[in-house]
Amino acid sequence: MSLPQISYVIPLYNENKAFPFLIDRLNEVMNKSDIDIEVVLVDDGSKDTTADLMQQLALQDQRYQCVFLSRNYGHQIALSAGLSVVNATEAVMVMDGDLQDPPELFFDFYNYYKQGYDVVYAIRKKRKESILKKAAYSIFYRMLKKISYIEIPIDSGDFSLMSRRVVDILNKMPEESRYIRGMRSWVGFKQIGIEYERRGRTADESKYSISMLFRLAFNGIFNFSEFPIRFITRMGLVAITLSLIYLAITIIKKAVWGTVPEGFTALLFAIILFSGVQLISLGVIGEYVLRIFHQVKSRPLFIIKDQIINKQYVQRKERSSSSLP
Ligand code: UDP
Ligand code: MG
């Protein structure tokens, strides 16, 4: 069998309500186009019937491939798992399973790909979410853009088409706390954003809890910005400067009016000065800890429990893990 030109990667967590709609829309896209497309569905340890639905489908329809993860790893890792098994020769389409991202946008993306773009990402023009959530997203993306050391486009999520070579590079990036839209920007190449209107969810509520959203946001900040740690150092510098100014003022006061109680001033000065020094030291240590932290973890990102490849069910077989020290 020849390899498909395009792979869709779709992570799913408890999406049994949206599933039939999703598959309808995907079938429509595949039937309409003469491009050879496969769909890689990733079950991120769903607790509902999502995995069963996936299995039923993929055992009948060769265009669907399935990956079942050993537990719930979270959206970004599930996405990475999907990216690691795609067969696409040309490009990979990354999409959510709740139909907030219209699968038909692929045709527009693909046109840009054909024009030589390695990454075509979607920019959300409008969001159908609550005002509070919209405001939080908007503030976060703008802040991240300000403090990040790479150019991360505003209001773009993971919904995108990436060329095979970009996906190969992402697959080789070993970082554990993954922020795919940031890594995608980091890779470089020719990239372009297209505006689209993000729908509300078709079925069900969001599978991202508030704490998961925060974790994602933190991954964005701490993986792509050195601002927080540099901020500590700067605070230390400010504290030291203030203490020196205070010292100068007291000395002048003492010389002119002779009114300053001595012991108290010295104490205050020492406290402020050394708090400044401590903050700077923390910042410097933090710099090293951060780098070690990012480097040292070399756990596998995810564990694939089972897979369905070309209608064949493949179970993970491993009696003992010999790689542990
Ligand atoms: N998802 C996942 N693992 C999780 C949470 C979510 O694979 O732990 C999937 C989910 O099924 C959906 C996509 O990630 O296909 C985006 O999730 P969701 O729609 O809940 O996020 P939101 O659109 O609210 O940001
Ligand atoms: Mg969604």
Side-chain angles (χ1 to χ4, degrees):
M1 203 190 83
S2 66
L3 293 174
Q5 292 162 277
I6 301 293
S7 303
Y8 274 70
V9 174
I10 310 178
L12 298 170
Y13 179 58
N14 296 345
E15 297 285 7
N16 63 1
K17 292 210 185 75
F19 195 81
F21 301 103
L22 172 70
I23 301 308
D24 279 352
R25 293 273 288 277
L26 286 168
N27 284 339
E28 219 172 278
V29 169
M30 287 193 280
N31 295 339
K32 213 160 69 181
S33 117
D34 43 15
I35 303 162
D36 197 5
I37 300 176
E38 73 166 358
V39 176
V40 176
L41 301 169
V42 183
D43 169 46
D44 189 15
S46 295
K47 294 181 180 65
D48 64 0
T49 52
T50 304
D52 303 331
L53 294 172
M54 283 168 55
Q55 182 172 335
Q56 260 172 34
L57 174 71
L59 288 178
Q60 285 167 16
D61 191 335
Q62 185 135 356
R63 298 172 302 182
Y64 289 89
Q65 317 288 346
C66 290
V67 175
F68 303 91
L69 297 183
S70 63
R71 63 171 168 83
N72 178 248
Y73 285 86
H75 175 225
Q76 299 286 302
I77 301 285
L79 199 57
S80 308
L83 289 176
S84 74
V85 303
V86 291
N87 294 307
T89 51
E90 292 190 354
V92 177
M93 182 85 181
V94 169
M95 201 182 91
D96 284 355
D98 56 1
L99 291 177
Q100 281 190 288
D101 312 327
E104 299 78 23
L105 214 59
F106 161 73
F107 296 109
D108 296 348
F109 285 9
Y110 191 68
N111 276 339
Y112 282 101
Y113 168 77
K114 279 290 174 201
Q115 287 167 33
Y117 287 95
D118 275 87
V119 175
V120 188
Y121 57 85
I123 300 174
R124 297 157 182 169
K125 209 166 49 178
K126 268 196 211 146
R127 273 175 185 275
K128 297 229 166 64
E129 316 258 20
S130 69
I131 294 186
L132 210 70
K133 216 171 173 183
K134 269 198 268 199
Y137 274 117
S138 165
I139 294 170
F140 170 72
Y141 279 116
R142 273 148 195 86
M143 181 196 71
L144 183 61
K145 192 184 168 76
K146 266 224 149 63
I147 67 173
S148 165
Y149 58 76
I150 60 162
E151 186 79 21
I152 300 180
I154 282 181
D155 292 333
S156 74
D158 295 321
F159 187 28
S160 60
L161 182 77
M162 296 183 279
S163 68
R164 178 76 232 190
R165 56 181 179 175
V166 165
V167 172
D168 286 339
I169 296 169
L170 287 185
N171 285 340
K172 281 198 202 118
M173 286 165 77
E175 55 199 87
E176 198 230 9
S177 46
R178 287 176 109 68
Y179 189 65
I180 306 243
R181 58 202 77 164
M183 292 160 67
R184 189 184 68 204
S185 296
W186 179 88
V187 166
F189 293 98
K190 233 172 123 179
Q191 308 210 354
I192 189 168
I194 327 185
E195 288 198 335
Y196 83 115
E197 201 168 304
R198 187 156 160 97
R199 320 267 142 93
R201 260 183 164 263
T202 338
D204 250 345
E205 68 285 356
S206 171
K207 300 295 178 293
Y208 259 97
S209 62
I210 293 293
S211 72
M212 284 158 84
L213 276 179
F214 266 100
R215 207 174 335 144
L216 183 68
F218 277 21
N219 273 346
I221 294 171
F222 292 113
N223 281 320
F224 292 98
S225 170
E226 296 173 347
F227 176 79
I229 212 147
R230 302 219 183 284
F231 185 70
I232 301 180
T233 317
R234 268 176 232 157
M235 259 179 5
L237 284 174
V238 170
I240 290 178
T241 317
L242 284 180
S243 80
L244 288 176
I245 294 173
Y246 181 67
L247 176 71
I249 292 174
T250 24
I251 289 175
I252 294 169
K253 265 190 178 168
K254 171 98 180 143
V256 181
W257 297 287
T259 52
V260 188
E262 277 157 39
F264 176 72
T265 313
L267 201 65
L268 211 60
F269 170 72
I271 290 175
I272 303 175
L273 176 74
F274 284 106
S275 343
V277 173
Q278 275 169 15
L279 282 175
I280 290 194
S281 321
L282 268 182
V284 173
I285 295 171
E287 292 268 358
Y288 289 102
V289 175
L290 254 185
R291 282 167 174 72
I292 298 165
F293 174 72
H294 286 308
Q295 195 62 45
V296 85
K297 287 202 230 170
S298 46
R299 273 184 217 159
L301 286 174
F302 49 80
I303 294 166
I304 295 178
K305 191 170 61 172
D306 308 307
Q307 248 179 302
I308 299 178
I309 306 167
N310 297 333
K311 299 212 271 190
Q312 297 295 315
Y313 194 86
V314 186
Q315 201 170 21
R316 185 185 188 93
K317 287 205 186 77
E318 215 170 76
R319 273 177 297 159
S320 65
S321 60
S322 51
S323 62
L324 288 178

